[in-house]
Amino acid sequence: MGFVIIDFKKRRDRETLSGLVPETVRNVDNFIKSYTPEEDLPPSESECAAIEKELMSTTLHEFDEVAGKLWRAKKDLPGRRSRLVIQLKRREGKLFSRFSDDVAELEDLAATMMEECMNRLEDTEEELKVSLPTSTTSIDSAFDELVKDCAEYIEENFPEGVEGMKAYDDNLPNFDALVEIIETKKNEEYPAANADAIPEKLEKVKERSKIMVQKSMNKAIKAQLLKIEKDMSEDDSLPYLDEEAMGDLKNELIEAAREYAESRIDEDFSNDGEYNSDDSEGEDVNSEDDE
């Protein structure tokens, strides 16, 4: 009778061990089907692999604990465990398969957003290039504002914002890398370009100043010449000269005044002393219309 009881317990342990494998596999399948990320972001491929690795390790440990108590079926244990290992390996990657579409969509979103940020960087550079040379403050402000705008753009459109993008996965575009590019341009590239642009700009300022001075002097000389011509054209006369001689004298004095004026300016008086007021307008030394 005792042998019958022993045989019954052994058979029961073997049946329990036999059913333990499919039960364990079902538990794993249920975990994969029902897994919900703690955050809004879907788990990345590397995160899914890490979760599965932990799941498989825990599952085998729990199986060994339960199966170890079925010592009457110990001869069956190696085979059953090997079968479980095979079943578990077949489930590797299934967790990521659940989220792969979401991950691909997220990666596309991140790529699109970083492309937009790079476009904004390009626009910022174009605006800076035409304004060089400028103040260091202007350069710093332009790039600082760019980083701020890109961060706000990502915060508004990417799940969990900048931190979510930075912490998610190495496959996503790296916001820190973008900031590093911007900082290099802010602290190295554009300060150097700004310094290089200063000498040429100074030459243009000097040339504009020279032109402005010339035009101002021309205007003053022309105005004074007209005044002199007007004074000489009045009815003044010398008692010892007749009208014709007086006229000749006035013309000679006017011509001498013109010759002297011409020697002091860079324009001739082909219009008999008249001049266009537009020619005498000054030019702003600080004008930026260099092109």
Side-chain angles (χ1 to χ4, degrees), residues 31-49:
F31 177 89
I32 292 174
K33 291 177 183 177
S34 62
Y35 176 78
T36 302
E38 295 180 0
E39 302 174 347
D40 293 337
L41 295 172
S44 65
E45 186 171 7
S46 60
E47 288 174 333
C48 286

Side-chain angles (χ1 to χ4, degrees), residues 8-256:
F8 174 76
K9 290 182 178 181
K10 181 178 181 181
R11 186 167 60 252
R12 184 183 62 188
D13 283 359
R14 294 184 68 186
E15 289 174 355
T16 302
L17 180 61
S18 177
L20 187 59
V21 173
E23 179 184 352
T24 302
V25 171
R26 280 194 299 272
N27 291 337
V28 170
D29 287 341
N30 289 334
F31 177 89
I32 292 174
K33 291 177 183 177
S34 62
Y35 176 78
T36 302
E38 295 180 0
E39 302 174 347
D40 293 337
L41 295 172
S44 65
E45 186 171 7
S46 60
E47 288 174 333
C48 286
I51 292 170
E52 285 181 341
K53 183 178 180 181
E54 178 65 22
L55 173 63
M56 303 313 177
S57 176
T58 301
T59 298
L60 286 175
H61 178 72
E62 292 176 351
F63 175 85
D64 290 340
E65 281 191 344
V66 175
K69 298 176 182 179
L70 305 174
W71 56 271
R72 295 181 182 86
K74 62 182 180 180
K75 290 184 179 180
D76 296 341
L77 180 56
R80 297 296 180 184
R81 194 180 192 281
S82 295
R83 189 172 301 175
L84 175 61
V85 171
I86 292 172
Q87 293 293 330
L88 294 179
K89 284 187 174 296
R90 289 175 180 173
R91 281 152 178 80
E92 290 180 354
K94 287 188 176 294
L95 181 60
F96 179 67
S97 295
R98 268 195 61 208
F99 298 99
S100 58
D101 290 343
D102 293 337
V103 170
E105 183 178 339
L106 195 67
E107 290 176 348
D108 289 343
L109 174 61
T112 299
M113 295 182 69
M114 292 306 292
E115 181 179 0
E116 170 62 19
C117 289
M118 292 302 294
N119 289 338
R120 294 185 182 190
L121 170 59
E122 184 176 336
D123 292 342
T124 298
E125 290 191 83
E126 288 299 321
E127 292 178 3
L128 275 176
K129 286 176 182 177
V130 298
S131 68
L132 295 181
T134 186
S135 66
T136 302
T137 301
S138 296
I139 295 174
D140 291 346
S141 297
F143 286 117
D144 289 344
E145 189 67 23
L146 173 63
V147 173
K148 179 183 176 182
D149 288 345
C150 289
E152 290 177 351
Y153 170 62
I154 293 172
E155 288 292 341
E156 293 173 358
N157 295 280
F158 193 85
E160 300 192 13
V162 172
E163 291 304 317
M165 181 180 287
K166 288 165 61 175
Y168 183 65
D169 188 74
D170 291 341
N171 291 328
L172 288 187
N174 194 322
F175 181 76
D176 284 341
L178 171 65
V179 173
E180 185 176 343
I181 291 173
I182 294 174
E183 288 296 315
T184 298
K185 290 181 178 294
K186 168 187 169 182
N187 298 319
E188 299 178 19
E189 182 176 336
Y190 276 84
N194 197 48
D196 291 342
I198 290 175
E200 181 180 356
K201 187 69 174 182
L202 288 179
E203 289 303 314
K204 291 182 178 181
V205 169
K206 293 175 183 178
E207 182 63 24
R208 284 198 301 269
S209 177
K210 178 181 177 181
I211 292 173
M212 183 190 71
V213 170
Q214 288 175 333
K215 287 188 175 183
S216 296
M217 294 299 294
N218 290 347
K219 180 179 179 180
I221 293 173
K222 289 178 180 180
Q224 188 63 30
L225 179 61
L226 288 178
K227 183 176 183 299
I228 292 173
E229 289 181 353
K230 182 180 178 181
D231 290 343
M232 290 183 176
S233 298
E234 294 179 352
D235 294 334
D236 295 337
S237 62
L238 296 175
Y240 45 83
L241 292 179
D242 60 25
E243 184 177 350
E244 181 178 356
M246 190 65 197
D248 291 341
L249 176 61
K250 288 182 178 181
N251 289 336
E252 183 179 348
L253 293 175
I254 290 174
E255 183 62 28

